[in-house]
Amino acid sequence: MKKIMFNDKFGLTQAVLDGRKTMTRRIANLTQQEADMLMGKLPDCPKSLICAIWHNKSRFKVGEVVAIAQSNKDSGYSPDSLDRHPKDLSIRGLMKDSAGWDNKMFVKSYACKHHIKITNVKIERLQDISDEDCLKEGIVKQEVISDESPFLYAYDAFLNGDNKYFASRWFKNPKEAFAVLIDKVSGKGTWESNPFVFAYEFVLVD
């Protein structure tokens, strides 16, 4: 089983587990011609070639169940626990002494507790993301009392005790918020470079 990592610094793993994030975009290493084939812009292209490109270029496929990477600590294990997946021979001794205690890169996919199922995959340029998809990417929308802008959007919002969101910065539209987020997650200049991306839509399985 494969595993997928979401950025914890901006709360994206938790957004997935909370059901607020149901899409993720990953940069696609595609030529213009390959992208045109996958987007159906070259109708005379052999179906076998299109299938081969999908198979070789897309990391995840529709219907595939993928493990969500989390550290053992974030998965809720006790530091003194001896509990572990029976196949996981990488952990010897207490859970707090394991390489995956606070680094999810070292946690095996079969030992991850939560999973998503891929429900749709599409190809597009990064800047072609819709406002609706920005919200599916985890951008938070909050209503405000203002004639100028009835809603505000943020990439790092979190709830306080009054069910109102706090954020380091608010934006007037979801694309502005997503553009800043993708540059922080994938590197400065990513939004401006406007690469082809695979947009994976998913549902939380457990």
Side-chain angles (χ1 to χ4, degrees):
M1 178 182 289
K2 299 172 188 173
K3 70 178 180 180
I4 186 169
M5 294 190 184
F6 298 100
N7 191 292
D8 291 323
K9 182 177 179 180
F10 302 103
L12 299 186
T13 301
Q14 192 59 50
V16 172
L17 299 179
D18 290 344
R20 293 185 290 107
K21 181 175 173 65
T22 58
M23 288 193 83
T24 186
R25 280 161 172 73
R26 306 293 163 119
I27 294 174
N29 183 23
L30 296 171
T31 64
Q32 180 69 57
Q33 185 178 33
E34 289 172 333
D36 287 344
M37 290 179 188
L38 296 186
M39 290 188 288
K41 294 182 178 180
L42 300 177
D44 296 331
C45 181
K47 187 175 180 180
S48 59
L49 179 57
I50 295 174
C51 290
I53 296 173
W54 273 113
H55 178 77
N56 291 325
K57 298 290 187 172
S58 177
R59 185 180 176 194
F60 307 114
K61 312 298 185 291
V62 172
E64 188 173 7
V65 175
V66 184
I68 301 172
Q70 282 186 289
S71 68
N72 291 322
K73 180 180 180 181
D74 288 341
S75 292
Y77 285 105
S78 165
D80 297 322
S81 173
L82 291 172
D83 184 29
R84 77 284 316 279
H85 192 284
K87 287 170 56 180
D88 196 347
L89 303 179
S90 65
I91 301 176
R92 302 181 184 278
L94 299 177
M95 191 64 75
K96 66 181 179 181
D97 297 324
S98 67
W101 172 245
D102 56 7
N103 189 334
K104 61 186 178 183
M105 290 184 65
F106 294 103
V107 178
K108 304 295 184 182
S109 60
Y110 52 72
C112 296
K113 289 187 173 183
H114 300 287
H115 303 80
I116 58 173
K117 184 176 182 178
I118 307 298
T119 58
N120 188 44
V121 183
K122 63 181 177 181
I123 295 288
E124 64 183 14
R125 287 285 189 179
L126 181 61
Q127 293 181 16
D128 290 338
I129 187 172
S130 65
D131 287 351
E132 180 184 4
D133 279 2
C134 286
L135 300 181
K136 291 181 179 180
E137 283 274 4
I139 297 301
V140 169
K141 174 183 177 181
Q142 177 158 273
E143 187 173 1
V144 295
I145 302 174
S146 168
D147 294 333
E148 180 183 355
S149 180
F151 297 101
L152 290 176
Y153 303 87
Y155 62 84
D156 61 350
F158 62 92
L159 282 171
N160 67 9
D162 298 323
N163 290 324
K164 290 289 186 180
Y165 284 102
F166 283 121
S168 63
R169 181 181 175 189
W170 290 97
F171 300 84
K172 291 186 178 181
N173 66 70
K175 274 193 178 183
E176 288 180 354
F178 179 76
V180 173
L181 175 63
I182 200 67
D183 272 10
K184 290 182 178 296
V185 171
S186 299
K188 187 176 181 180
T190 300
W191 176 259
E192 185 177 353
S193 67
N194 197 25
F196 284 110
V197 293
F198 285 106
Y200 298 103
E201 193 160 9
F202 55 82
V203 294
L204 184 66
V205 175
D206 53 21

